[in-house]
Amino acid sequence: MESVSEQSIGVFIAILTILITGAQFFLSWLSGRRQRDAELTTWAHQVIESLAEIETACFPISSGTVYSPKECEILSYKASALVDKGRLFFPNVVDRKSGREDEGTRVKVLDQVLKACYAARYLAAEKPIDRQKLRAHIWAARKSFTILVQAEMGKSMRKSPRDQAGEHIPTDPGSWGEARRQLKLP
């Protein structure tokens, strides 16, 4: 017959084993979330760069910046690939009410990338369009994309202390006044 202390040790070891297993599970889960956030961040960087370039192709500020139809087609297929890569993070939302057996509905974050893809395709086809208005749409899509992706990321990746809040920067550099730090050139 086991003594009370041997039973206590057995119970203690069992509880300790359960706690260690739980901790390992939690750390594994946390590591998986961090890995997803890191991969999501890499993908988001690629999307933001793609959207910025498509935005520029729509209505370049510089008269010397010209995107050929071929370059616009390349921007289009890169954006299309980014939509599909994004489906790895954001699968379609299935509408169970309709009973349709389709693949579901794309999530909002991917709509922003698809919008840019369609704009680049339109530019590649050289169809007439108000290009400045198109640029404004892609600019808005990039802003929406960033907000939607930030909402998906882990809090630690998108947390900024209030004391680090920026200030309003006027868009006209001529109105900035004197620089706080003087530039010294050789």
Side-chain angles (χ1 to χ4, degrees), residues 143-163:
K143 183 176 180 179
S144 293
F145 172 82
T146 302
I147 290 167
L148 292 165
V149 166
Q150 284 178 335
E152 286 291 325
M153 291 183 170
K155 289 181 182 178
S156 66
M157 295 185 72
R158 57 184 167 93
K159 191 175 189 179
S160 298
R162 288 196 181 273
D163 65 345

Side-chain angles (χ1 to χ4, degrees), residues 10 22 42 50 61 63 71 77 85-86 92 109 111 123 129-130 133 152 165 180:
T42 299
S50 176
I61 295 171
S63 61
E71 291 170 316
Y77 79 66
K85 288 177 183 179
N92 284 353
V109 70
D111 283 348
L123 294 172
I129 191 167
D130 181 343
K133 181 179 174 182
E152 286 291 325
R180 290 183 188 166

Side-chain angles (χ1 to χ4, degrees), residues 7-184:
Q7 288 177 345
S8 297
I9 291 173
V11 169
F12 175 76
I13 290 173
I15 291 172
L16 187 60
T17 302
I18 291 170
L19 290 175
I20 290 171
T21 302
Q24 287 174 330
F25 175 78
F26 176 74
L27 291 174
S28 174
W29 173 80
L30 190 59
S31 175
R33 282 190 52 95
R34 284 186 181 152
Q35 178 67 27
R36 179 191 182 270
D37 284 347
E39 291 172 5
L40 179 60
T41 300
T42 299
W43 172 76
H45 288 167
Q46 293 170 350
V47 170
I48 290 167
E49 186 173 330
S50 176
L51 294 179
E53 190 167 12
I54 292 170
E55 178 188 328
T56 300
C58 289
F59 189 79
I61 295 171
S62 165
S63 61
T65 303
V66 178
Y67 282 82
S68 70
K70 179 181 178 182
E71 291 170 316
C72 290
E73 179 111 19
I74 291 169
L75 293 175
S76 170
Y77 79 66
K78 287 182 178 179
S80 177
L82 287 169
V83 170
D84 287 336
K85 288 177 183 179
R87 290 179 191 278
L88 300 174
F89 302 105
F90 306 103
N92 284 353
V93 177
V94 178
D95 184 7
R96 301 196 191 282
K97 293 179 197 173
S98 70
R100 295 185 340 209
E101 293 192 20
D102 63 3
E103 296 178 3
T105 304
R106 193 179 40 258
V107 295
K108 290 177 188 178
V109 70
L110 294 179
D111 283 348
Q112 309 314 307
V113 188
L114 190 60
K115 188 181 284 188
C117 174
Y118 289 164
R121 285 181 185 172
Y122 210 84
L123 294 172
E126 299 183 274
K127 294 184 178 184
I129 191 167
D130 181 343
R131 293 172 69 112
Q132 190 169 1
K133 181 179 174 182
L134 188 60
R135 181 175 181 150
H137 278 285
I138 303 309
W139 180 83
R142 185 163 47 127
K143 183 176 180 179
S144 293
F145 172 82
T146 302
I147 290 167
L148 292 165
V149 166
Q150 284 178 335
E152 286 291 325
M153 291 183 170
K155 289 181 182 178
S156 66
M157 295 185 72
R158 57 184 167 93
K159 191 175 189 179
S160 298
R162 288 196 181 273
D163 65 345
Q164 295 298 316
E167 57 189 61
H168 172 72
I169 306 293
T171 56
D172 177 7
S175 69
W176 291 354
E178 293 298 317
R180 290 183 188 166
R181 183 175 175 194
Q182 294 302 312
L183 175 65
K184 295 180 184 178

